[in-house]
Amino acid sequence: MTRPTFRRNSTSIPAHRLAPLCALLAALPFSALAQESALPAVTVNAPAPAARPLQSTPEALAERRAAGGDTAALLQGIPGLSLQGAGGISSLPSLHGMADDRLRIQLDGMDLVSSCGNHMNPPLSYVDPSRVSAVRVFTGTTPVSVGGDSIGASIQVETAPPVFASPGQGHITSGEVGAWARSNGNAVGAHASATYATEQLSLRYDGSTAQADNYHAARAFKAAGPAGADKPGRILAGDEVGSSSYQARNQSLSLAFRGDDSLLGLEVGMQDVPYQNFPNQRMDMTRNDSTHVNLRYQRSFAWGELQARAWHEQTRHSMDFGPDKQYLYGGGAATGMPMDTRGSTSGAKLSGDIALSAQDTLRVGAEALRYRLDDWWMPSGGGMAPNIFRNIADGQRDRLDVYGEWEARWSPAWVSQIGLRSSHVRSNSGEVQGYNASYGADAAAFNATDRSRSDQNLDFSALARYTPNETSSYEFGFSRKTRSPNLYERFAWSTGGMAMRMVNLAGDGNGYVGNPNLLPETAHTLSATADWHDASGQRWGVRLTPWISQVHNYIDAKRCSGGSGMMSVCNAANLTAQQKFVYLRFANADARLWGFDVSGFMDLGRNDWLGALRLDGALSQTRGRNRDTGDGLYNTMPLNARLALTQQSGAWSSTAEVLLVAAKTRVSAERNELATAGYGLLNLRTSYQWQNWRLDLGVDNLFDRFYAHPQSGAYVGQGATMSGTAVPWGVRVPGMGRSFHAGLTMKF
């Protein structure tokens, strides 16, 4: 029987097209039942899916691996994406004005949670750049199958997949060793991997190490501040950026078994970070030990693909003052301020890609995430005694999701995707206490409240793509996405100045207190993409994406007042303070973000002397406003552009890259956010590939331009950082000056 074709001017939908939607709705409760025996999902590999992520090319990944140990830096070059400053290996990706928990960031399919009041250990800090083989970024309208508990983009980072011997090959062995160095900050790193594989078994080991001293700004940088005794243990050189050093070690062991139509994989990973210092936080990381186990299974059936994953990760994290910081607060005698965190995440996912017909695909799945957090500060004298300070006590955050997604190919020109996700998030906290009676009123008020919170969230996405010919395509999408508050946003309880400065997810130098009554964020996003290119897709191309997001109950912050504790800094003076650090309470508001991304490329041809030339470029703009107050949203990126000229000649590949950033004048007055001047940087890179060897050379900020990135945060990298006044307000963390780098890898 011939199936009727879809006619564009039709006002009705054939009955057979309603079946997938009915199946999608019916699958949601079925997926919830499957959760009892479930595991998790791997990326769907349907041909030319409706939602097409932006990806970093293998060459771009290889170039950026040679420049440092920050895995988030591998995402640079994605239109609209920037990096929010933090530690040397802990930058936070920011896309369309949203960062950190507002993005869903997955590492090998795992959702990892940052266990720190300053979010010093974000998900991408748990993998070395040398292990990353693929990066995918879903911007604009994010499908529900890759979204969840986020209101922004979804970022998927994957390490190298297992390799197996070919039939009749017996066994194979392979490996890679490499090292890199960067002149600015005396940064060095090395990695090694080895693989043994048969036709059915694959075993791989990866190890890496990286470390760096403080980096230097482009020209004399002297943070104004108190002289003499209030200076750190060693006085920093004029242009040295304090608290920017780090050291990290990572190891992993992967085992995989392959059947005729199935794959079973297990990975065990460990991380040891002896220290990572933070120029935009008042404390430094003095320890971060993490272990994780990641189990996955996938199998092909006549009806489609089944994918499952289960993992467990635990982190032991500590903070105190690094060598560039010192405790001198309130005349106390303490020389340190130890803070400890223990977090654990257990997750499971189960998903299926069901081929309902040659034109229709149904994706269903269920996910579960269990997170536990304890954050405590040991007594150390100087007013921090005699009790243990319980910042987050027995914190709990559990999430259970089910989703269904229907993708339909109505004709060669039209494809659509529609999906629903239901999520239940439950948060809770135990009773807390302060160092002493000075914190008693705040602790008693917090302990007297019912702290259990349950959120029922619903996500929806709809996307359509129209490809009228071989030189253009057009995408249109709408999504409703939700995110429940994290444990610090809800349960950080003290209004004491010192305690509030220890809860800062933004790197702005201010202090924050939680709000148990926060509601989940709900973002309604509308986006469109026009893609024009030549018929081959190789000579030229232009891509334009305008977008707008209306966020209800956006978690912003308000100046706090009326604090009940003896140590409280939530007073009337805090409400009107200008040109100084302030104290804020997390609060819901309505917000609007909008902007556009433009990217393109052009093949400039080839000649005998220069080889092949190609020009790439991107331009992005983001605006954000708190609609309740009219204030700007914190840490949004101003107009910025990237232009790169690439030359390819035989084994040589070279790039000249120009980065342009406009002045940031739209700031958050509530936070006393600092404006930044516009700037331009020139970076040069070249690589040479010979047999199994690869050599990378480059220089960043060639003209040694002084600048401050608009998302670098406030400079609190040296001095008596725990004082609200000893650290100067008004200084942004400066960017890195001229830096040469080199990398060498050898495969065997």
Side-chain angles (χ1 to χ4, degrees), residues 325-519:
K325 296 173 181 171
Q326 179 177 339
Y327 180 83
L328 283 173
Y329 175 58
T335 58
M337 190 175 168
M339 298 182 170
D340 293 278
T341 305
R342 180 182 291 111
S344 66
T345 306
S346 300
K349 303 178 189 177
L350 178 68
S351 70
D353 306 335
I354 305 169
L356 300 177
S357 69
Q359 293 80 29
D360 299 296
T361 301
L362 178 67
R363 303 183 183 99
V364 295
E367 304 176 358
L369 197 70
R370 179 184 185 272
Y371 178 62
R372 295 294 180 267
L373 173 69
D374 281 290
D375 186 336
W376 72 97
W377 312 341
M378 296 299 293
S380 57
M384 300 179 293
N387 301 321
I388 297 174
F389 191 106
R390 303 285 182 183
N391 191 34
I392 300 289
D394 190 26
Q396 304 171 35
R397 193 176 189 275
D398 299 325
R399 178 167 65 88
L400 178 64
D401 291 17
V402 293
Y403 69 84
E405 188 173 271
W406 169 37
E407 184 168 304
R409 301 182 180 277
W410 303 91
S411 72
W414 281 98
V415 59
S416 68
Q417 185 186 83
I418 185 171
L420 292 172
R421 174 184 284 259
S422 176
S423 176
H424 181 78
V425 181
R426 181 181 179 276
S427 302
N428 206 346
S429 170
E431 294 190 353
V432 299
Q433 69 177 24
Y435 285 121
N436 47 53
S438 299
Y439 298 88
D442 276 348
F446 181 85
N447 292 336
T449 63
D450 179 7
R451 298 174 296 280
S452 178
R453 298 290 185 272
S454 293
D455 305 322
Q456 189 64 47
N457 301 327
L458 182 66
D459 288 5
F460 168 79
S461 68
L463 177 70
R465 186 173 76 246
Y466 174 55
T467 308
N469 51 55
E470 59 185 4
T471 62
S472 62
S473 67
Y474 304 90
E475 297 177 10
F476 315 91
F478 172 79
S479 66
R480 180 189 195 271
K481 302 188 66 181
T482 54
R483 179 187 79 95
S484 289
N486 64 44
L487 295 182
Y488 287 101
E489 289 170 331
R490 268 187 168 152
F491 299 132
W493 57 273
S494 176
T495 60
M498 178 275 295
M500 292 183 70
R501 288 190 288 274
M502 293 301 94
V503 179
N504 186 305
L505 311 181
D508 60 3
N510 298 316
Y512 291 80
V513 65
N515 183 351
N517 297 319
L518 286 177
L519 298 174

Side-chain angles (χ1 to χ4, degrees), residues 582-600:
V582 294
Y583 302 94
L584 306 112
R585 185 184 305 276
F586 293 111
N588 290 120
D590 283 346
R592 177 178 293 164
L593 299 100
W594 67 100
F596 65 85
D597 301 322
V598 182
S599 60

Side-chain angles (χ1 to χ4, degrees), residues 105-187:
I105 302 176
Q106 293 179 297
L107 174 59
D108 279 339
M110 298 184 292
D111 291 288
L112 303 178
V113 182
S114 184
S115 298
C116 172
N118 301 148
H119 277 197
M120 291 180 173
N121 44 21
L124 296 186
S125 68
Y126 287 103
V127 63
D128 187 78
S130 62
R131 294 194 61 212
V132 175
S133 66
V135 168
R136 288 184 292 272
V137 181
F138 292 85
T139 64
T141 301
T142 304
V144 297
S145 57
V146 298
D149 202 25
S150 64
I151 61 171
S154 291
I155 299 174
Q156 298 176 340
V157 173
E158 294 184 358
T159 58
V163 296
F164 298 89
S166 301
Q169 192 176 5
H171 71 271
I172 59 174
T173 58
S174 62
E176 178 179 304
V177 293
W180 59 268
R182 189 185 68 221
S183 64
N184 199 326
N186 301 316

